[in-house]
Amino acid sequence: MFKLNSFLITAIILIPLTAAGWDDTDWNNGYNRGNAAGTAFGKKVDEPEEINTRFIQPLTSSGTLMQSLDGSVSFDGQLSAPSSDAFLEIMVAPAGTGDLTTVLLRQDTNFDGTPDYAYNVPVRISGVCANGFISADAGSWNNLHYYTWKTNPAGEVTIAEQTSILELTACYCINASCGS
């Protein structure tokens, strides 16, 4: 299917260009120009420090301007804004079994510097995952229940209804049943 789609896309592009009078010289010129541009780009960013200076700093800081490769044009390319105010606070209290029995999330949903939403996770957390958690009997890995995190339309964090282990990623056990 992919080869057929690639063939059709190529045909759709090539037929009009051929009809417009493109010949091998045009293709070679295009290839040579693309190759030259790629080589010039590679020479400008061949060191990690160059990548940091030319891309990372301008995209994350207002103190460094983004520049064209030849240095003739400079502009503010910052994609992120620094914040000194927390927008999510998480307070956890583990039990003697290693399970997290109190997990309180506080969010600043409108980014005014003051938390305006709080959520207390209603179940014990025995294992943590990249996108949720596992709840089990205290201090054990028995009677497992799986949950994912979700947000409502206002951006407030809650948990989804119970789900399958197949919906969770990168999980590991944190309670006493797992060892120290």
Side-chain angles (χ1 to χ4, degrees):
M1 185 68 161
F2 178 75
K3 289 181 180 178
L4 178 62
N5 288 340
S6 296
F7 174 76
L8 289 175
I9 291 169
T10 304
I12 290 168
I13 293 171
L14 291 180
I15 290 171
L17 292 178
T18 304
W22 277 50
D23 59 19
D24 288 345
T25 305
D26 295 316
W27 291 110
N28 288 333
N29 287 340
Y31 173 81
N32 291 337
R33 287 182 187 156
N35 196 27
T39 300
F41 180 80
K43 287 180 182 177
K44 294 287 186 177
V45 295
D46 62 347
E47 296 292 326
E49 184 55 37
E50 284 296 316
I51 294 171
N52 184 40
T53 302
R54 288 189 166 274
F55 299 106
I56 295 171
Q57 288 179 9
L59 291 172
T60 60
S61 163
S62 62
T64 306
L65 294 176
M66 180 76 73
Q67 291 186 348
S68 59
L69 284 178
D70 65 3
S72 65
V73 178
S74 297
F75 58 94
D76 181 8
Q78 184 178 359
L79 294 178
S80 63
S83 172
S84 59
D85 296 327
F87 62 89
L88 176 65
E89 298 172 353
I90 303 172
M91 195 274 296
V92 298
T97 60
D99 299 280
L100 302 178
T101 54
T102 300
V103 178
L104 176 63
L105 307 172
R106 292 178 8 128
Q107 268 183 279
D108 177 7
T109 60
N110 59 6
F111 302 103
D112 68 355
T114 304
D116 51 28
Y117 171 76
Y119 180 72
N120 191 10
V121 177
V123 295
R124 169 188 312 107
I125 297 179
S126 307
V128 294
C129 307
N131 63 333
F133 62 90
I134 299 170
S135 181
D137 291 341
S140 76
W141 208 239
N142 299 322
N143 196 23
L144 300 174
H145 300 280
Y146 310 103
Y147 299 90
T148 55
W149 296 109
K150 70 175 187 174
T151 58
N152 63 24
E156 299 165 341
V157 176
T158 63
I159 60 172
E161 296 297 319
Q162 287 189 44
T163 188
S164 159
I165 185 67
L166 300 174
E167 298 298 317
L168 296 173
T169 57
C171 299
Y172 60 96
C173 178
I174 61 170
N175 71 14
S177 71
C178 313
S180 48

